[in-house]
Amino acid sequence: MTTPLYLGVALDGAGWHPAAWREPDARPLDLFDVGYYTDLVRLARSADVDLVTIEDAVGLQTSGFGPAREHAENDRTETDHAEKDRTATDRTDEVRGRLDAVVLANAIAPRVSGIGLVPTVTTTHTEPFHTATALQTLDYVSEGWAGWRVQVSGRAHEAQHFGRRTIAPFDAAAITGGDPGAQALLAELFGEARDAVEVARRLWDSWQDDAIIREVETGRFIDRDKLHYIDFVGEYFSVKGPRSCHAHHRVSRSCSCSPIRKCPTSSRSPKPTSWRSHRTPTSTSTRF
């Protein structure tokens, strides 16, 4: 049996090269305009591309492993002066800032049909219940063309945006050199991501397809017996369920696209633990 080939395009601002926004045919003034990304997705669709991924993160883009210089200066102390110098970047010639990937995908979906929309959502500092609901909404708006690019965050300054955990600063040498602390962190982050995906999958299955009955005569909008608790208890999450919205009426359950994909997109990322799941197309990556 021949394995089908799916062609995808990764969208990130003006392009992945740091100087892409300065190209003559670039549109730097439109990088925060929904119409710009709609045009790109429409172009991809016209070329028979199967899906587009939309890059995102919980911190500003940087070339290194640490925060942009303006963040580092605000946090500078005598004791961490050298560490901030090692991880921060002074570059001001790269695009900084981006629109929320899930919200952007939901804005594009009604404008361009027939192509997979796969936003990046970080699992490290987010709750899977919220993520599942957001992707469920995208699945509804896109009529079944939603996906999920799972990303984990190992950057110390990004953890400071939330204040829920402390992550020690790492650089490229620690990751590629097999530093025990870095490897332990990676194992934790991917373990958390695995649980987040499993929680989302169970939430998507927590409503039966015919749970919404809309019986005006009896005053019943839903059949309560067709909503189910997921009662997930793991190392990182404890989620009761069910989810807060129903799947699109033309889609069997949620995100009923092709089977899940386990493919780290960073050469510095270890292969994650095998995920037994289905439906929404998913890839994983590490952000350091």
Side-chain angles (χ1 to χ4, degrees), residues 6-226:
Y6 296 100
L7 180 63
V9 172
L11 301 182
D12 185 18
W16 289 84
H17 192 281
W21 65 276
R22 291 184 287 166
E23 286 294 304
D25 58 348
R27 296 163 56 186
L29 296 179
D30 298 331
L31 294 182
F32 299 97
D33 190 319
V34 173
Y36 168 75
Y37 293 95
T38 301
D39 290 345
L40 292 179
V41 175
R42 187 174 288 118
L43 179 62
R45 177 68 181 88
S46 67
D48 291 329
V49 170
D50 296 295
L51 62 91
V52 296
T53 63
I54 304 174
E55 183 66 19
D56 205 353
V58 294
L60 287 177
Q61 305 96 310
T62 65
S63 298
F65 282 71
R69 174 65 63 178
E70 56 270 24
H71 289 166
E73 290 294 344
N74 291 338
D75 296 334
R76 190 175 297 278
T77 65
E78 290 292 332
T79 56
D80 66 2
H81 189 283
E83 185 63 33
K84 294 294 184 182
D85 277 340
R86 183 173 66 85
T87 60
T89 175
D90 287 315
R91 296 189 65 163
T92 59
D93 61 335
E94 297 177 325
V95 173
R96 293 287 189 266
R98 52 166 68 97
L99 299 177
D100 181 275
V102 177
V103 175
L104 180 58
N106 273 287
I108 295 171
R111 296 172 169 84
V112 187
S113 61
I115 185 170
L117 299 173
V118 187
T120 299
V121 182
T122 302
T123 59
T124 308
H125 305 295
T126 56
E127 294 294 332
F129 187 90
H130 296 153
T131 300
T133 301
L135 292 172
Q136 176 70 76
T137 302
L138 176 60
D139 184 65
Y140 192 99
V141 175
S142 67
E143 298 188 345
W145 288 91
W148 179 9
R149 179 175 178 265
V150 181
Q151 181 166 270
V152 299
S153 168
R155 297 190 173 195
H157 71 282
E158 291 183 350
Q160 293 173 359
H161 294 329
F162 302 89
R164 297 179 180 178
R165 68 206 302 175
T166 300
I167 295 178
F170 290 103
D171 57 17
I175 305 300
T176 59
D179 178 84
Q183 296 304 310
L185 175 61
L186 285 173
E188 175 187 345
L189 296 178
F190 276 113
E192 183 179 44
R194 180 192 61 239
D195 279 5
V197 171
E198 179 62 20
V199 168
R201 186 190 68 80
R202 294 191 189 187
L203 287 169
W204 291 329
D205 283 339
S206 63
W207 288 50
Q208 293 180 216
D209 295 342
D210 54 351
I212 295 182
I213 55 178
R214 302 180 179 89
E215 290 183 352
V216 177
E217 297 80 6
T218 63
R220 292 198 309 157
F221 188 82
I222 63 171
D223 184 342
R224 184 61 186 84
D225 292 335
K226 295 182 179 181

